[in-house]
Amino acid sequence: MITLSKLAKTFQTRDGQVTAVDHIDLSIEKGEIFGVIGYSGAGKSTLIRLLNMLETPSSGQVTVAGKNMNELSGKGLRQARQEIGMIFQHFNLLWSRTVADNIAFPLEIKGMPKSEQKKRVNELIKLVGLEGRGGSYPSQLSGGQKQRVGIARALANNPQVLLCDEATSALDPKTTDSILDLLVDINKKLNLTIVLITHEMHVIRKICHRVAVMENGRIAEQGPVLDIFKRPKEEMTKEFVKQVTEPEETEEAIRHLFKDDGIGRVLQLTFTGSDAKRSLITDVVRKYDVSVSILQGKISQTQHGSYGSLFVSVTGDNQLIDETIAFIRSQQVEVEVIHGE
């Protein structure tokens, strides 16, 4: 559906040339929810604007739905953009227009007859859960409702791709989850390809099939979300994963326990899918003469299954602890010794 080939974008500033996107190669499949995560300044916002040519590439190629976006201009580019909807962090609604009129705006530009416009707007209002609010103005809506209007407007022309530029960053956690649930519902009902950028790993965890981690204009790491959670390679990726897999107090609590000479070895276990439901600790205690204490743990859900992180301390004979660790690894559970030899 979307292919980027050696895509680059540079800007000239007073301080010299800045490379925002640095020769990226990327493929996104039809019907996929693909996330791009990175800290501020990583280049992710520029990247998503290159997909619909709101920014012109300095070099490289963008192909969307079989069309080479680089070669398009004027009417051809406008037609191609009708296949690509976009929603924004701050909604970008027309404040003097009602909900229905905001949603109808791209249909007016397209020249759709009024009767067809009304029918399509009613369909979209129902799809995004805004029944009864068609006559309201943006100032009368909550943040979540405003974003639902933005989503409906972006879907007006039946696009094949929906771009989400930090679409939940201005929302509270509960509203964020409701908008993410809506995006998943739309993805399934319409087989819509969704590309979203964010700095929140919770967003990636909840709805994305695959993710790319951006740093300094490059993709540092990419892959299926469950794989990235289970085996993050880059330090920045590990930081993002910790946002949702470890309680905030985990590091502090375990560091406090390090002062106790009797804590033994502290292990971090990570597991996915059906492994999260197994009685691994019980199996260990039955099999080996060691003591196991659970320090912290958390299980999170992704689109492709559950992911868990568990911190335990193991005390006993060193050889038995080594055998315990080997046994746990043989059960397809990742083990990292974070304290003790």
Side-chain angles (χ1 to χ4, degrees):
M1 174 57 69
I2 300 173
T3 304
L4 310 181
S5 178
K6 295 181 172 30
L7 187 65
K9 177 64 178 181
T10 58
F11 295 97
Q12 193 64 42
T13 71
R14 291 182 178 181
D15 298 321
Q17 188 169 277
V18 174
T19 301
V21 174
D22 193 358
H23 297 87
I24 283 179
D25 294 310
L26 187 65
S27 293
I28 299 171
E29 301 299 324
K30 180 174 177 58
E32 185 174 28
I33 303 179
F34 192 93
V36 180
I37 190 167
Y39 292 120
S40 179
K44 56 189 188 298
S45 290
T46 302
L47 177 66
I48 203 169
R49 290 170 64 85
L50 287 166
L51 299 185
N52 58 3
M53 293 290 139
L54 289 178
E55 294 285 355
T56 304
S58 300
S59 61
Q61 184 173 307
V62 178
T63 304
V64 180
K67 297 176 182 176
N68 185 340
M69 301 293 289
N70 305 61
E71 296 177 349
L72 301 177
S73 61
K75 183 178 180 181
L77 181 58
R78 289 193 295 273
Q79 289 176 338
R81 282 176 174 160
Q82 290 179 4
E83 299 288 323
I84 307 171
M86 192 166 186
I87 57 176
F88 306 88
Q89 177 179 356
H90 297 297
F91 320 126
N92 287 16
L93 302 180
L94 300 169
W95 298 92
S96 61
R97 283 176 166 248
T98 63
V99 167
D101 289 341
N102 264 280
I103 297 171
F105 186 61
L107 302 176
E108 293 175 14
I109 295 174
K110 188 178 181 180
M112 179 181 286
K114 287 283 186 182
S115 59
E116 293 181 28
Q117 284 184 37
K118 185 176 181 180
K119 181 181 177 181
R120 179 61 178 154
V121 167
N122 288 336
E123 290 173 353
L124 290 165
I125 285 177
K126 183 177 180 180
L127 178 66
V128 301
L130 286 176
E131 294 98 327
R133 301 310 300 266
S136 301
Y137 288 88
S139 61
Q140 299 170 312
L141 304 178
S142 67
Q145 290 171 331
K146 290 172 188 172
Q147 195 56 283
R148 288 173 185 268
V149 177
I151 292 170
R153 182 183 60 186
L155 297 177
N157 283 317
N158 290 304
Q160 296 189 54
V161 176
L162 179 64
L163 306 180
C164 306
D165 187 358
E166 296 278 11
T168 60
S169 294
L171 305 176
D172 63 78
K174 184 176 180 180
T175 305
T176 289
D177 282 346
S178 71
I179 294 298
L180 296 178
D181 288 340
L182 175 61
L183 291 175
V184 171
D185 185 54
I186 289 169
N187 167 256
K188 291 177 179 177
K189 285 181 178 177
L190 307 180
N191 194 30
L192 188 69
T193 304
I194 299 177
V195 183
L196 63 86
I197 65 168
T198 182
H199 62 275
E200 300 172 296
M201 200 63 176
H202 166 73
V203 173
I204 300 295
R205 173 192 66 78
K206 188 171 176 65
I207 73 168
C208 293
H209 301 112
R210 288 194 299 143
V211 60
V213 182
M214 280 194 74
E215 184 176 25
N216 298 324
R218 291 180 174 271
I219 293 179
E221 191 168 352
Q222 66 171 303
V225 169
L226 207 54
D227 290 353
I228 293 294
F229 269 69
K230 190 172 183 179
R231 297 186 186 89
K233 297 182 179 68
E234 302 296 325
E235 282 304 314
M236 186 177 69
T237 309
K238 292 176 182 178
E239 290 178 15
F240 279 124
V241 169
K242 284 182 180 179
Q243 288 182 6
V244 291
T245 60
E246 296 180 23
E248 291 181 5
E249 69 275 10
T250 295
E251 187 175 340
E252 180 181 348
I254 293 175
R255 189 185 298 114
H256 177 75
L257 287 170
F258 288 169
K259 299 174 183 178
D260 181 359
D261 292 336
I263 194 174
R265 280 187 243 182
V266 176
L267 313 179
Q268 179 179 3
L269 314 182
T270 56
F271 40 85
T272 57
S274 59
D275 292 331
K277 301 176 183 177
R278 294 177 51 233
S279 55
L280 179 62
I281 301 301
T282 301
D283 294 343
V284 166
V285 173
R286 286 175 177 171
K287 192 174 181 67
Y288 299 98
D289 186 19
V290 295
S291 296
V292 181
S293 298
I294 297 174
L295 305 178
Q296 294 276 10
K298 185 174 183 180
I299 295 178
S300 301
Q301 295 297 320
T302 73
Q303 282 281 65
H304 291 297
S306 54
Y307 170 92
S309 181
L310 184 67
F311 292 84
V312 300
S313 71
V314 183
T315 57
D317 180 80
N318 278 332
Q319 182 176 343
L320 286 176
I321 294 177
D322 289 339
E323 292 176 11
T324 297
I325 293 172
F327 169 73
I328 294 173
R329 285 176 174 152
S330 73
Q331 304 303 301
Q332 284 72 56
V333 175
E334 300 288 318
V335 182
E336 181 182 355
V337 180
I338 63 174
H339 176 73
E341 297 181 358

